[in-house]
Amino acid sequence: MPVAYIALGSNLGDKEKNLEQALDRLRKHGVQVLAVSPWIATAPYGVTDQPDFLNGAAKVEWGGDAESLLHTLLGVEQEMGRQRRRHWGERNIDLDLLLFGDQILHTDDLNLPHPDMANRSFVLEPLCAIGPEVVHPVLKKTIRALWQALQEKEHETKQESREQNMQDRLKTGVVLVLLYTILFAIAESVQIVPGLSGLRLAGMLSVPYGLIFGRLGAISAALGAALGMVVTGGNSNFIPIEFLGALLSAYLPFRVWQGMRSPQEPYLCVEDERTGMMYFVLSLIGTVPMAVFPAVGGDLYKIVPFPASYPKMFLASLVCTVVGGFIVYLFAAPRMFRGPGEALWNRIRDPKGTTRNLAVAMIRITLTGGFLGLGLAFIFPNEFELIIVEYVMGIFAAILFILTAV
């Protein structure tokens, strides 16, 4: 009987169980499985907004012809409930016929060898584990040679891609910093707490920066705040304070979202009540550090007591971050995720992950501390500069900073 090689893949449900079940079903249909490669985890190919795959290859014998083996593979996929939602999309099982002896075949239903196998590392790597010396009937090269050549090509491509991505990040970062600086400088012209803080208009950008650009957006916001302080001639002692406030205002919502989202939800688009509520919670999280850090700094440097400054800055930050940020995000997010900016976003998107437990802890700590500050401000009169308030909120600000490094 002729020897054939098939590729197996899955990225939904219990992936390893799906692959093992597919092999069992093939055996029941008369396919003799001679060897199976180790399973390897791979990134999605072609369409990237989906879970990672588990891939492998199998060496089999089949008593019929190539087309009957293909129909058997498709039958097993159907038995296992595969749904073809989109090309290169998610699937609980994927079975491809790669090679059937040394046959070269081109029909409406089947092409042998598989036309793109030499360009897919998730095919060649497991195939090389069970048939390194098998010769590709068309290319006249062994699977080992094809795998080595593809590795070299991918290394060169990755190097070029990293350089391009770095340039894209740099250019995007410069634009983000300038936008934040301009808005920060405009806001400083209207002081809500004289000598300490202007309108918190830059809060309109903080959460969108974080959710769309991740760490790049957070750092850009921080640099924009620092540059805004320099441009407006602000107190030099407050440059690091505004830097940290802007940094966490963008970064904490990003980290929380990364921990709360589902694998099928790579980005947040506000489309219904659930996503709208999620954005509202993330906006509240972004509001807190934008108000806490300058209020603590004002108390620390004896400019304005915390109880006198924090409520005003919290309210201004809340309006700008929740309402203004929502308007900005509704405009920018669809254009970056699904519109003209999609290609750029895919190149510079931040893969930083967060566990769900850490995300929940961030929500609780941030919101508890933020509203605790309001409670302290209303409990203690403005004329009393109590050291307990300074210590409590100073410790809370330090905890927020520590969360960014976790």
Side-chain angles (χ1 to χ4, degrees), residues 260-281:
M260 301 300 292
R261 69 180 181 85
S262 69
Q264 289 76 36
E265 201 172 25
Y267 48 73
L268 176 63
C269 267
V270 181
E271 298 173 323
D272 51 30
E273 184 177 344
R274 182 187 67 85
T275 51
M277 181 58 65
M278 174 59 73
Y279 186 86
F280 176 72
V281 172

Side-chain angles (χ1 to χ4, degrees), residues 9 44 48 55 72 78 104 129 148 194 262 269 300 365:
T48 59
N55 289 103
T72 300
Q78 188 173 5
I104 299 174
Q148 291 174 345
S262 69
C269 267
L300 182 65
I365 292 172

Side-chain angles (χ1 to χ4, degrees), residues 316-394:
S317 299
L318 183 68
V319 172
C320 292
T321 304
V322 175
V323 180
F326 182 73
I327 295 172
V328 171
Y329 195 76
L330 281 183
F331 174 82
R335 288 163 175 78
M336 288 301 300
F337 296 145
R338 302 170 181 171
E342 182 179 6
L344 173 63
W345 182 75
N346 280 322
R347 290 197 300 271
I348 66 175
R349 63 184 296 186
D350 193 334
K352 178 71 173 179
T354 308
T355 65
R356 191 174 186 85
N357 288 339
L358 179 57
V360 171
M362 287 179 170
I363 294 175
R364 290 174 175 172
I365 292 172
T366 305
L367 296 184
T368 299
F371 287 103
L372 173 63
L374 287 177
L376 292 174
F378 287 116
I379 291 173
F380 297 107
N382 295 343
E383 60 268 21
F384 288 97
E385 299 182 20
L386 296 181
I387 197 69
I388 184 65
V389 176
E390 182 178 311
Y391 275 133
V392 168
M393 297 312 296

